[in-house]
Amino acid sequence: MSKFQQLTRWAACAVIWSASAGAALAADPITVIVPFGPGSGTDNMARPLFDEMSRDLGQPIVIDNRPGASGMIAAQTAARAAPNGNTLFFTTNTTQAINPVLFKKLPYDPVKDFKPVVSIGTSPYLLLVRKDFPANTLAELLEWVRVNPGKASYGWGAAVSQMAGANFVKREKLNAVGVPYKSSPQAVTDLIGGQLTFTFLDLAAAVPIVKSDRVKALLITSAHRFDTLPSVPTAAEAGLKDFDVAAWFGIFAPAGTPDDVVKRIADSAVKAAKSPDMLKRLETCCASMVLHGQAFADYVAKDSAKWKEWAQIADIKPE
């Protein structure tokens, strides 16, 4: 091979390499739509998870918080995104299992508009009151509400919290007004400020608030106590039987996203969930629950049926 031919081949290789490198560097970032605001349990779970996935995939990932309207704004945006793997939806049972029970008409179809990718875990809820509230147990809270008719209120920033509060009020025959918020952190702010009597908040979001000594946790809605907050009794221990409330976290893609793309994302998510940082985070506030594809879809369907039953118990009518 002549020197000229060698130079020509090297030049061609250099052009191909440069084009490939440029394409990799110019790869579109993945946008992850989150239906709740910064500081929510969903957001707290999404950021470390997708940080790990970004390193694994070699692709930038951007979190896009779109709180409001019980997650419907975010869900509609995600449902309308191009099904190419560059937009994902990291959400909970609020948008996929409970909203169909609460609203007669949704701007998205939680089944037809999405392809389930993988679930990550579930998080129980805490019943919270402000630090200086004159009740340290469930029994004392119930007594306060009953001797102060018309003064009690509870707030929520997600549908799971709404359903938990409404069911609690109905079961205990309490006189308490429900107040909706755009996102859970806003409800917590008003709880601390004395505008609310109590709220149910997922453990993923509640742990730092409880540990900062700004609120008191009266019970946790799980079958066992969590090592993170070992002094907080379970609902059953506190006297509230059969009160199983939990939020699950999972990734969905717009319907029509290719199976190979979905598999790549699911594999990366499972790998990320096993990283030291995520394992530590999950241990403090969640129970691991990894379900792929149809198994995840089946779980969501079962969860939807549960919340429909709870809505009937609480006498919640679709709006």
Side-chain angles (χ1 to χ4, degrees):
M1 180 182 295
S2 68
K3 186 174 183 180
F4 175 77
Q5 288 174 317
Q6 288 179 327
L7 289 172
T8 301
R9 178 169 291 183
W10 291 341
C13 289
V15 169
I16 293 171
W17 180 87
S18 296
S20 299
L25 291 173
D28 291 334
I30 295 174
T31 297
V32 178
I33 297 173
V34 175
F36 308 111
S40 63
T42 311
D43 182 76
N44 289 348
M45 195 62 58
R47 292 184 182 276
L49 175 71
F50 287 102
D51 280 348
E52 292 286 344
M53 289 177 63
S54 178
R55 288 187 284 272
D56 177 58
L57 296 170
Q59 192 171 358
I61 299 181
V62 179
I63 302 295
D64 181 8
N65 296 94
R66 298 204 176 203
S70 195
M72 288 189 282
I73 297 170
Q76 182 180 24
T77 303
R80 292 179 176 178
N84 56 13
N86 287 334
T87 301
L88 301 174
F89 190 33
F90 187 73
T91 189
T92 71
N93 23 9
T94 287
T95 60
Q96 307 307 103
I98 303 180
N99 278 352
V101 176
L102 298 178
F103 302 97
K104 292 180 181 179
K105 188 175 181 180
L106 298 176
Y108 66 96
D109 189 309
V111 177
K112 295 179 180 179
D113 289 344
F114 295 96
K115 180 176 275 190
V117 179
V118 65
S119 63
I120 300 300
T122 66
S123 179
Y125 272 63
L126 294 173
L127 172 58
L128 303 178
V129 296
R130 68 178 186 272
K131 187 62 181 178
D132 61 349
F133 189 77
N136 295 307
T137 65
L138 172 64
E140 290 174 355
L141 170 63
L142 295 176
E143 178 66 17
W144 185 93
V145 174
R146 286 164 181 155
V147 300
N148 290 278
K151 293 184 179 181
S153 62
Y154 65 98
W156 68 83
V160 179
S161 179
Q162 176 187 0
M163 294 288 276
N167 199 275
F168 173 65
V169 167
K170 183 73 174 181
R171 284 179 48 164
E172 297 299 320
K173 298 180 174 60
L174 303 177
N175 180 4
V177 177
V179 183
Y181 288 82
K182 193 173 183 179
S183 195
S184 297
Q186 295 170 328
V188 172
T189 297
D190 276 4
L191 178 73
I192 295 171
Q195 284 77 45
L196 295 175
T197 307
F198 64 87
T199 190
F200 284 89
L201 185 66
D202 59 281
L203 187 60
V207 168
I209 303 168
V210 175
K211 289 198 168 186
S212 68
D213 211 29
R214 288 179 288 168
V215 297
K216 293 184 289 192
L218 304 188
L219 61 82
I220 186 168
T221 63
S222 56
H224 60 84
R225 297 193 185 199
F226 264 70
D227 291 341
T228 313
L229 300 170
S231 64
V232 178
T234 67
E237 289 173 336
L240 193 60
K241 306 294 184 182
D242 302 318
F243 200 76
D244 179 22
V245 177
W248 49 256
F249 304 96
I251 302 173
F252 291 78
T257 302
D259 290 340
D260 61 328
V261 174
V262 169
K263 184 179 185 305
R264 176 173 174 263
I265 294 166
D267 290 346
S268 180
V270 172
K271 182 178 178 182
K274 294 179 180 178
S275 68
D277 181 53
M278 280 302 297
L279 283 174
K280 182 178 180 181
R281 190 174 293 265
L282 286 167
E283 287 172 358
T284 61
C285 62
C286 297
S288 177
M289 185 184 77
V290 178
L291 298 171
H292 298 80
Q294 189 57 48
F296 186 17
D298 292 343
Y299 178 85
V300 174
K302 184 178 179 181
D303 194 48
S304 298
K306 168 191 170 177
W307 293 115
K308 184 177 181 179
E309 182 181 345
W310 272 50
Q312 292 172 344
I313 293 172
D315 198 26
I316 296 176
K317 307 297 184 184
E319 297 178 358

